[in-house]
Amino acid sequence: MTIAARSETQHTANTPRSLMLINGSPVESADGRFIEIESPAKRTLIGQVPRASEVDVDKAVRAAAAAFDTWRSVPARDRGRMLLRIADAVEAETESIARTLALETGNAIRTQARPEVKSAADVFRYFGGVAGEIKGETVPLGEHVLSYTRREPIGVVGSIVPWNAPVILGTLKIAMAVAPGNTLVLKAAEDAPLALLHVARICNDFLPPGVANLLTGYGEECGAALARHPLVRKLSFTGSTEIGTLIMHAAADRIVPVTLELGGKSPAIVFPDADELRTVDGVIAGMRMTRQGQSCTAGSRLFLHRSIFDSFLGKLATRLAPLKIGDPLEETTDMGSIINRKQFDRVCSYIDDGLRQTGARLVLGGLPPTSGPLAEGYFVQPTVFAEVSNDWRIAREEIFGPVLVAIPWEDENEAIRMANDSHYGLAAYVWTHDLTKGLRIAHAIESGWVQVNQGLGQFPGQSYGGFKQSGMGREYSLEGMLDSYTQRKSVTVNLQ
Ligand code: NAI
Ligand code: MG
């Protein structure tokens, strides 16, 4: 594989340091160490954050534990009101948060970063609104018994988020934990902590100290220490299946409940009767191509009926070719860069693997350019392989890049079998004019979310989460919050 070495990162004097938030105050790491944050599109250093280790984790968890007793007894409606104020404040600062987010992630501001911040405000608003719905039930055990349940908070929640959509994922962890009365220690991803720090500062303007603490640091140091801290009563993780396994082991050691939102290799099944042009755009959207495919929900296995295989791929290439790749801060840019060198090399190695497969045909893209403006950052063009077999590595493993594999099928049952032949089960997309068929397929597919004739992102109110190794627990909804972030207590009173 030949990938031109990217130039060295540009060092600028005095990159600004953003501090972590523990007990409502901005803090350095105990030992003063820090991490440099790079813009992956421009290859410049844009900031520094503290490099938290076990001591800092302990400080944050103790602050959260101390805040819990008071926070849990704040009326739910008042907690909700604070989240509504946070929503307005985040919305008011959309531009500034979105610019930071675009710069640190490489995600284009118009197509990704700005909509992500707006969605984060919606998520705070949704959970602020439903905070009063944390209700129990009465149980009819007899006229002389009063039996009822309460939904109580669990305690200190330890949450860890990745870099691909750090603001929305961090917001979810904060809102779902604090609305029912838990307190939180959240670890940002080391590659993209700055925009989430901005959101956490806003949260701390409205929440009492210690309710929402934000740490910055590396996974093995800070994340692992958080996962095993004895005062953490609930773990919530979004990221790779590999690390999700470690989090679940840490949870098992202390019997704490765990929510995992992990990887995916989601199928998009296209029937010959689907409206081709609309489907082409929907497949591109479902693939999250303008987020460089860096999404756990990406519909990255495209199952095309043999009778439309070539015509569909022709139209797909025509729609993908003009996407403008480049500076994430440019309004006209459709698609930005991959997050860092490690992921860039990883994506390139999958493309290289695809190019070496006998029988596979490259429809579009390929290895990144070695010269010109795109060689300056970690840019990868939309890449489509045709005539792929469902058992190849590029069809089985999560690439987390703009690489789509097209697999032909003729028999509906064969399409379903291949779609389900994966250890993942997060999302799926079905494209057909026949709704009865669409629903039949939707019910047969093993995944937590099936979209029929659309390739959209999540909306607050719908439960989102995976089947199989894509995870456990649900996010984004009232039900998910009740199941994952509260515990039921039964109280039984003898009235005789
Ligand atoms: P990762 O799973 O290593 O990182 C996600 C978060 O976990 C980060 O905050 C990281 O600091 C933390 N972490 C890492 N090691 C840890 C440990 N031992 N204990 C506690 N926390 C730890 O993901 P990474 O390495 O950035 O990406 C690798 C692959 O993972 C991607 O190519 C993609 O396939 C998948 N991924 C899936 C995501 C999803 O949304 N489901 C998000 C990010 C990555
Ligand atoms: Mg990792």
Side-chain angles (χ1 to χ4, degrees):
M1 181 171 61
T2 49
I3 299 161
R6 264 42 192 168
S7 57
E8 285 305 305
T9 304
Q10 298 295 306
H11 282 258
T12 41
N14 304 323
T15 34
R17 178 95 52 100
S18 299
L19 298 182
M20 312 187 281
L21 285 155
I22 299 181
N23 207 24
S25 301
V27 288
E28 296 276 5
S29 62
D31 59 15
R33 288 189 301 173
F34 57 87
I35 301 171
E36 304 255 40
I37 309 301
E38 183 194 43
S39 152
K42 297 171 190 267
R43 307 293 320 287
T44 52
L45 292 177
I46 54 169
Q48 299 173 344
V49 293
R51 177 173 162 181
S53 61
E54 196 153 10
V55 201
D56 306 290
V57 171
D58 186 59
K59 207 169 127 192
V61 172
R62 285 180 192 284
F68 178 59
D69 281 344
T70 325
W71 181 243
R72 68 176 305 172
S73 49
V74 170
R77 206 160 37 110
D78 294 343
R79 290 196 298 257
R81 205 173 279 141
M82 292 179 212
L83 291 180
L84 294 176
R85 291 202 191 106
I86 292 170
D88 290 341
V90 167
E91 201 159 60
E93 291 183 39
T94 298
E95 270 322 291
S96 148
I97 302 169
R99 286 186 74 78
T100 305
L101 181 61
L103 202 55
E104 67 179 339
T105 57
N107 294 346
I109 190 151
R110 189 190 87 251
T111 65
Q112 299 301 317
R114 192 179 293 122
E116 182 180 336
V117 178
K118 289 186 172 159
S119 302
D122 283 346
V123 163
F124 278 123
R125 203 162 279 133
Y126 172 82
F127 286 105
V130 299
E133 293 298 314
I134 302 162
K135 296 171 180 166
E137 302 103 15
T138 54
V139 190
L141 293 185
E143 281 309 303
H144 304 293
V145 183
L146 168 63
S147 186
Y148 65 95
T149 61
R150 289 158 52 85
R151 290 283 194 171
E152 296 192 356
I154 302 171
V156 178
V157 177
S159 295
I160 297 169
V161 288
W163 41 262
N164 56 321
V167 163
I168 189 74
L169 297 173
T171 291
L172 272 171
K173 302 291 185 204
I174 297 170
M176 293 186 36
V178 307
N182 303 287
T183 56
L184 170 83
V185 177
L186 172 63
K187 190 196 91 66
E190 54 270 41
D191 289 293
L194 299 174
L196 184 53
L197 269 173
H198 190 155
V199 172
R201 280 195 296 273
I202 294 175
C203 292
N204 275 273
D205 288 342
F206 296 94
L207 298 171
V211 169
N213 305 277
L214 186 78
L215 297 175
T216 51
Y218 291 116
E220 321 79 73
E221 267 173 15
C222 172
L226 179 60
R228 64 170 182 261
H229 196 292
L231 293 179
V232 170
R233 294 276 163 76
K234 151 94 199 175
L235 288 168
S236 177
F237 172 80
T238 302
S240 63
T241 298
E242 178 199 352
I243 304 299
T245 308
L246 298 180
I247 300 295
M248 202 160 164
H249 276 290
D253 285 342
R254 304 197 312 285
I255 320 285
V256 300
V258 54
T259 300
L260 300 173
E261 208 271 86
L262 309 174
K265 188 76 182 177
S266 296
I269 304 180
V270 182
F271 282 82
D273 64 356
D275 173 340
E276 242 183 30
L277 277 182
R278 196 176 132 191
T279 306
V280 165
D281 287 341
V283 162
I284 294 170
M287 174 58 207
R288 308 290 187 257
M289 206 49 113
T290 54
R291 209 195 304 155
Q292 301 78 256
Q294 297 174 130
S295 165
C296 43
T297 332
S300 50
R301 283 184 300 152
L302 177 59
F303 292 99
L304 291 175
H305 191 266
R306 177 53 88 192
S307 65
I308 53 160
F309 197 81
D310 291 327
S311 67
F312 191 95
L313 287 177
K315 292 187 182 101
L316 189 70
T318 309
R319 295 296 276 184
L320 285 172
L323 286 183
K324 189 175 164 207
I325 309 174
D327 185 353
L329 288 177
E330 257 315 311
E331 283 298 323
T332 53
T333 297
D334 297 304
M335 189 171 160
S337 76
I338 299 287
I339 185 76
N340 58 26
R341 175 179 293 274
K342 187 188 106 191
Q343 289 298 117
F344 175 79
D345 288 346
R346 196 167 171 240
V347 172
C348 291
S349 81
Y350 279 108
I351 296 176
D352 189 58
D353 190 69
L355 291 170
R356 285 163 196 273
Q357 285 291 341
T358 330
R361 174 164 58 86
L362 183 68
V363 178
L364 188 82
L367 285 170
T370 51
S371 59
L374 290 188
E376 296 296 314
Y378 301 124
F379 294 100
V380 179
Q381 301 145 287
T383 295
V384 181
F385 285 104
E387 306 294 346
V388 169
S389 170
N390 197 43
D391 54 14
W392 292 353
R393 214 178 130 234
I394 54 170
R396 299 200 69 79
E397 296 176 14
E398 183 177 51
I399 299 179
F400 232 60
V403 184
L404 181 63
V405 299
I407 301 165
W409 61 275
E410 268 162 303
D411 171 63
E412 178 183 312
N413 291 325
E414 174 66 359
I416 295 171
R417 193 198 58 75
M418 287 194 288
N420 286 342
D421 183 16
S422 167
H423 56 283
Y424 291 121
L426 194 51
Y429 307 82
V430 183
W431 296 92
T432 172
H433 192 66
D434 176 350
L435 256 196
T436 308
K437 190 163 62 188
L439 295 181
R440 189 169 68 229
I441 309 288
H443 296 176
I445 283 190
E446 296 166 352
S447 70
W449 184 23
V450 185
Q451 299 187 62
V452 181
N453 294 333
Q454 63 166 36
L456 302 180
Q458 301 89 320
F459 287 101
Q462 70 176 100
S463 288
Y464 175 73
F467 282 16
K468 301 195 274 190
Q469 287 184 31
S470 289
M472 58 200 300
R474 295 293 177 264
E475 298 193 316
Y476 269 99
S477 65
L478 171 62
E479 300 78 41
M481 178 177 82
L482 292 175
D483 289 348
S484 300
Y485 292 88
T486 71
Q487 48 193 353
R488 242 202 202 90
K489 176 187 278 176
S490 288
V491 182
T492 311
V493 187
N494 184 344
L495 297 177
Q496 267 179 330

